Amino acid sequence: MSDAELLARVFLARVVEPGDEAAGRWVRERGVHEVADRLRGGGQALPGVGAKRWAGLLARAAQADPRADLAVARAAGARFVCPGDAEWPSQLDDLGDGRPLGLWVRGRPSLRMWALRAVAVVGARACTEYGAHMAAVLAAGLAERGWVVVSGGAYGVDGAAHRGALGAGGATVAVLACGVDRPYPRGHTELINRIAEQGLVVGELPPGEHPTPSRFVLRNRVIAALTTGTVVVEAAHRSGSLVTARAAQRLGRFTMGVPGPATSGLSAGVHELLRGEAVLVTDAAEVVELVGDMGELAPARRGPVLPRDLLEPAARQILAALPGNRPASPEEVARGAQTSEDEAVARLYELRALGYVERHGDGWKLTRQAMISVRAGRSRC
């Protein structure tokens, strides 16, 4: 990309709000140079905006200084990555006219390479201990499997996800709704600086810009587009993380949710997602099974194998026919197991050798070991 185009995009990033589809359409149809020149020149409004909004854009344009923005970014260790650059993640192009004009990036790794194996882990800011635990464990498991964990750097689930990935020695990306030189929230300054050292800090807004509610919402579309799938860990019905999940669904990305207690309002939004097209996941292996390559399957989930499970079916049938509170004759056992008396006696001796039954006069009774095994087997039903 030429220096002129870089400066034009940095200029527009200062003038235009993130996700402005009208501005995106101007750039697509007219090119960044013409749009930048029209805004600098203060001429007739471009199509799709009224007089008041055009005046607001011109006021911003009069204050914009792209060279100063680049200098501040360099001092903060950041660079500006544009569409067409080798480092630009092409999946962001799926946002159409809402695609970022460029991204400010702090950190050494290549954003494009990291985005090839990236999963978003998002959720409630005021999360429970369960939510923080699940986010950290999921992120650590994903990092250990070579996946990049992307989140928004916020309190709660976001912070737990970043820390989980960092703690596992893995890769993580924080996508901010402010300038990458101003960590937000302030309480996460140390965390975000650590992410910039070990991973990447990314944002659309130029240096020095502060977050607003609308910028948080628009930031979420970048998280969704940048990743292969989005996992939501705890979210109320009005949670901003649901915006990320719905953006992921619109973009054709995988959407996943971690279930919580049915009575928890913080999990109500996740449960609503799971009633729709989202997939229930409980650990990193299940996430990777969905977003990873063919054959990356999660292990089969099975209950514990009990000693009685190893018995032959005929022996289990005899064991089940014995009453739990008294001895029974071979004839009664055979009748209950629907087999011959000789077969019942042979199996009873076999079970005695294994410690499941014992003789009581002419009858047979379950041992204490067998009673525990039978109860455990019934409790699984």
Side-chain angles (χ1 to χ4, degrees), residues 77-79 81 87 89 103-116 118 148-153 162 165-166 170-176 180 191-203 226:
R79 58 192 179 277
V81 177
E87 195 181 348
L103 289 174
W104 300 92
V105 181
R106 280 178 66 195
R108 286 171 292 180
S110 166
L111 179 61
R112 186 181 76 83
M113 296 304 296
W114 273 26
L116 295 175
V148 178
V149 176
V150 179
S151 200
H162 290 308
L166 291 170
T172 189
V173 178
V175 183
L176 304 185
V180 296
L191 173 62
I192 291 171
N193 287 337
R194 185 181 169 198
I195 294 170
E197 293 172 3
Q198 190 170 323
L200 291 170
V201 176
V202 176
L226 201 59

Side-chain angles (χ1 to χ4, degrees), residues 304-318:
V305 177
L306 300 173
R308 66 189 301 272
D309 296 333
L310 305 177
L311 296 174
E312 293 182 8
R316 287 204 303 269
Q317 199 169 0
I318 295 295

Side-chain angles (χ1 to χ4, degrees), residues 314 316-323 326 328-341 344:
R316 287 204 303 269
Q317 199 169 0
I318 295 295
L319 195 62
L322 278 161
R326 59 178 176 81
S329 67
E331 181 182 2
E332 181 184 352
V333 173
R335 190 163 57 248
Q338 300 182 41
T339 187
S340 68
E341 188 173 340

Side-chain angles (χ1 to χ4, degrees), residues 135-157:
V137 170
L138 271 172
L142 288 167
E144 288 166 356
R145 288 166 172 80
W147 286 81
V148 178
V149 176
V150 179
S151 200
Y155 292 129
V157 166

Side-chain angles (χ1 to χ4, degrees), residues 162-223:
H162 290 308
R163 291 188 181 96
L166 291 170
T172 189
V173 178
V175 183
L176 304 185
C178 57
V180 296
D181 62 327
R182 287 195 174 183
Y184 185 89
R186 293 278 183 88
H188 273 180
T189 298
E190 183 179 345
L191 173 62
I192 291 171
N193 287 337
R194 185 181 169 198
I195 294 170
E197 293 172 3
Q198 190 170 323
L200 291 170
V201 176
V202 176
E204 288 181 79
L205 289 156
E209 283 295 300
H210 63 278
T212 64
S214 63
R215 288 172 171 178
F216 280 118
V217 172
L218 290 164
R219 176 274 309 272
N220 292 345
R221 84 195 194 288
V222 176
I223 294 176

